Amino acid sequence: MNLHEYQGKEILNSFGVRIQRGIVANSPKEAVDAAKKLTTETGTSWYVVKAQVHAGGRGKGGGVKLAKNLNEVESISDAIIGMMLITPQTSAEGKKVNQVLICEDVYYPGDSEPEEYYMSVLLDRNTGKNMIMYSTEGGMDIETVAEETPHLIFTEEIDPTLGLLPFQGRKIAFNLGLSGTALKEMAKFVSALYTAYIKSDSSMFEINPVLKTSDDKILAVDAKVTLDENALFRHKDYAAMRDLREENPIEVEAKAAGLNYVDLDGNVGCMVNGAGLAMGTMDLIKQAGGDPANFLDVGGTADAQRVEVAFGIILKDPNVKAILVNIFGGIVRCDRVAQGVVDAYKNMGDKINVPIICRLQGTNAVEAKELIDNSGMEIISATEFQEAADKVAEVLDL
Ligand code: GDP
Ligand code: MN
C-alpha cells in the first residue's frame, strides 16, 4: 500500500527520523492556516507547497512550488489543489490533486551549499536481505543516475538477524563524503530510518532528497513509503491511511467483494480460481496471440453470486472484447460453477456484450459442459486448456 508524502513523513518522524516539517491542507484557506502554524512552530518565513498524489516527479510537473509569503501560499495552493498533475510517473491525463502539504522551507536563503542525497531501504529478493541504496546524486531522477553514472549508486546489505550495525551507518555517511558533525548526524539518520523501515513493516522507503543543510542538519525532504499490506493487521493506524481516491476504482470494488483483481492493459477478461491457474491462463492467452485484460482470482467458492460480481467487474473495463472463464473444480464442483455462470449470464441479460469462453475441469466436468451446452446461452464451452485459448483467438479474429 502506497502512502502520501505527509503520511510517510509522519511515520518517519514517529521513529525519530528528522524531517522537513509540514502540515497537510485541503483548501487554500487551510493552507494559509497551516503556514501560520508552521511559522509559530519552526520560525520559517518561506514555505513549500507540495501536491500530495501517489506519484513521484511532482517537482518536474509543477506540483512543488516555493511560496515567499502567505498570499503566495494561498494562490499557489489554489492553483495546485484540484489540478490534474502530470509527472513522468503518472498517465498522460495526470492525477487529481486533493491535498497539498505546506512545508517549512529548509533550503535556507543564502545557503550556499545545501547537499541533496538519495537514500532508499528495500528488500533485495536475490539475497533475502534488506539493503540501503544511496547516492550523492540526490534530488534528481535516480533512474537517470542508474543509467548514466551507475558507479555513483552504492548499496549496503543488512543481515536481518543482526540488524543495521553502527559501522554501517558510519560507512554510508563516509561514502557520501561527510565528516565531523555531518557524518555523525547522517549515521544517526540512517539508523533511525532503518528502525522505522523494520518497525513499520514497510516494503520500501525512498527518500529523495535527503538534505544536508549548511549547519550540518540531515533531514528527509521527501518520503515515498510503501507498506507491506500483509502486515497491516498489526498497524491499524497505518491501515487508516489508505487513500482510495489514489487507487484504481475497479480494483477497490473487487477488493471489497473479496476478489483478487489486478487491472491490466489487454482485451481478454479472465475469470479463474487460484492464483497459479490465473497466471497460467494469462500465459496461454498471450501465447494464443491475445492480451489479458486482468488478473482475477475468484477464490474457492465460485457460486452464481460471486461469478456475477466477477463478470460485472471484468465488464467495467471497456477494453474487454472476450471473457475466458477457466475454473478447476477441486473443492467446488464444476456443475455448480457452470450453474453459476449460466445464472449470472441470465441475470445480467444484455450487460454481457462480449463472447464468453468457458472451460471447467475437475469434479463433474462432463455434467458441467452439458449444462453449459444445453443452457441456450451464448457461452462457448471448451474442455482442454489449449482449446479454450484457441477459441479465444477465434472469437477475436487473431
Ligand atoms: P518530487 O519531485 O515528487 O520528488 O518531490 P520532492 O519532495 O522531492 O521535491 C522536489 C524538489 O523540490 C526537491 O528536489 C527540492 O529541490 C525542492 N524542494 C523541496 N523542499 C524544498 C524547500 O524547502 N525549499 C526549496 N527551495 N526547495 C525545496
Ligand atoms: Mn523527491
Side-chain angles (χ1 to χ4, degrees):
M1 178 176 116
N2 292 326
L3 298 183
H4 285 296
E5 174 194 358
Y6 78 93
Q7 297 165 325
K9 280 178 166 172
E10 226 169 78
I11 293 178
L12 294 184
N13 186 47
S14 73
F15 289 101
V17 180
R18 192 193 288 263
I19 54 164
Q20 172 194 43
R21 304 272 306 273
I23 298 171
V24 74
N26 294 288
S27 65
K29 188 186 167 300
E30 276 183 33
V32 171
D33 292 342
K36 284 182 189 157
K37 195 156 172 237
L38 266 183
T39 296
T40 317
E41 288 174 8
T42 69
T44 192
S45 51
W46 287 7
Y47 315 90
V48 188
V49 182
K50 308 180 81 176
Q52 298 298 289
V53 289
H54 287 187
R58 295 163 302 165
K60 278 189 192 137
V64 178
K65 293 248 160 79
L66 187 67
K68 296 188 178 174
N69 54 52
L70 293 176
N71 282 338
E72 286 184 10
V73 168
E74 187 168 13
S75 61
I76 293 170
S77 300
D78 191 39
I80 292 182
I81 295 172
M83 84 186 280
M84 292 298 287
L85 180 61
I86 302 167
T87 85
Q89 292 182 21
T90 65
S91 65
E93 309 94 82
K95 278 204 136 193
K96 175 145 189 243
V97 183
N98 297 303
Q99 293 169 304
V100 287
L101 184 63
I102 307 302
C103 289
E104 58 174 331
D105 175 25
V106 286
Y107 292 59
Y108 312 137
D111 189 341
S112 54
E113 39 192 61
E115 291 281 352
E116 292 182 318
Y117 311 109
Y118 171 90
M119 192 169 292
S120 57
V121 190
L122 66 166
L123 175 67
D124 180 351
R125 290 176 190 278
N126 291 323
T127 60
K129 291 177 179 169
N130 290 316
M131 63 177 185
I132 297 180
M133 271 177 68
Y134 59 103
S135 174
T136 48
E137 307 307 292
M140 55 174 108
D141 201 3
I142 196 68
E143 286 78 15
T144 312
V145 181
E147 238 168 64
E148 292 170 7
T149 49
H151 59 284
L152 295 178
I153 299 181
F154 302 91
T155 58
E156 185 68 24
E157 209 173 68
I158 295 134
D159 188 316
T161 55
L162 298 176
L164 180 85
L165 298 172
F167 87 88
Q168 293 180 296
R170 291 195 297 271
K171 179 174 152 199
I172 290 170
F174 183 78
N175 281 341
L176 288 172
L178 302 175
S179 58
T181 311
L183 185 142
K184 279 193 200 126
E185 288 294 314
M186 179 60 86
K188 257 200 257 169
F189 181 90
V190 174
S191 163
L193 192 68
Y194 189 74
T195 304
Y197 169 82
I198 294 292
K199 294 225 167 128
S200 60
D201 285 314
S202 286
S203 51
M204 198 205 52
F205 271 10
E206 188 180 53
I207 316 296
N208 189 22
V210 173
L211 179 76
K212 181 183 89 67
T213 60
S214 52
D215 56 354
D216 288 336
K217 285 198 190 92
I218 307 288
L219 54 133
V221 169
D222 194 3
K224 192 168 172 186
V225 168
T226 306
L227 299 173
D228 181 349
E229 295 211 23
N230 295 312
L232 280 182
F233 71 94
R234 52 184 184 194
H235 300 285
K236 297 279 185 285
D237 45 339
Y238 297 169
M241 290 179 172
R242 171 161 248 136
D243 186 349
L244 293 178
R245 295 173 296 189
E246 294 289 327
E247 298 186 13
N248 179 311
I250 307 180
E251 291 183 2
V252 171
E253 190 184 333
K255 186 171 238 164
L259 301 169
N260 221 332
Y261 174 94
V262 181
D263 203 22
L264 301 169
D265 295 331
N267 54 3
V268 182
C270 308
M271 191 191 304
V272 190
N273 65 337
L277 186 58
M279 307 266 260
T281 304
M282 289 159 59
D283 282 351
L284 215 73
I285 289 172
K286 265 278 204 225
Q287 270 177 28
D291 244 324
N294 64 276
F295 167 97
L296 172 58
D297 173 8
V298 288
T301 51
D303 55 17
Q305 203 204 343
R306 241 175 132 68
V307 169
E308 191 175 330
V309 172
F311 272 138
I313 283 170
I314 292 175
L315 287 167
K316 288 217 164 128
D317 178 349
N319 296 327
V320 168
K321 296 290 175 282
I323 297 177
L324 172 57
V325 179
N326 189 14
I327 300 230
F328 175 72
I331 297 167
V332 59
R333 283 179 3 226
C334 290
D335 52 328
R336 282 204 56 194
V337 177
Q339 192 61 53
V341 171
V342 171
D343 290 350
Y345 199 107
K346 268 190 204 147
N347 287 342
M348 296 186 75
D350 51 11
K351 269 189 245 152
I352 296 187
N353 49 7
V354 299
I356 293 180
I357 295 94
C358 186
R359 182 234 179 197
L360 299 168
Q361 261 307 358
T363 313
N364 290 0
V366 177
E367 289 85 342
K369 184 165 172 9
E370 268 169 24
L371 220 154
I372 296 223
D373 289 343
N374 299 331
S375 68
M377 309 273 141
E378 283 181 64
I379 307 174
I380 304 163
S381 70
T383 310
E384 297 304 322
F385 206 160
Q386 185 62 53
E387 181 195 352
D390 291 343
K391 287 190 168 161
V392 169
E394 206 177 299
V395 300
L396 290 179
D397 264 337
L398 298 171

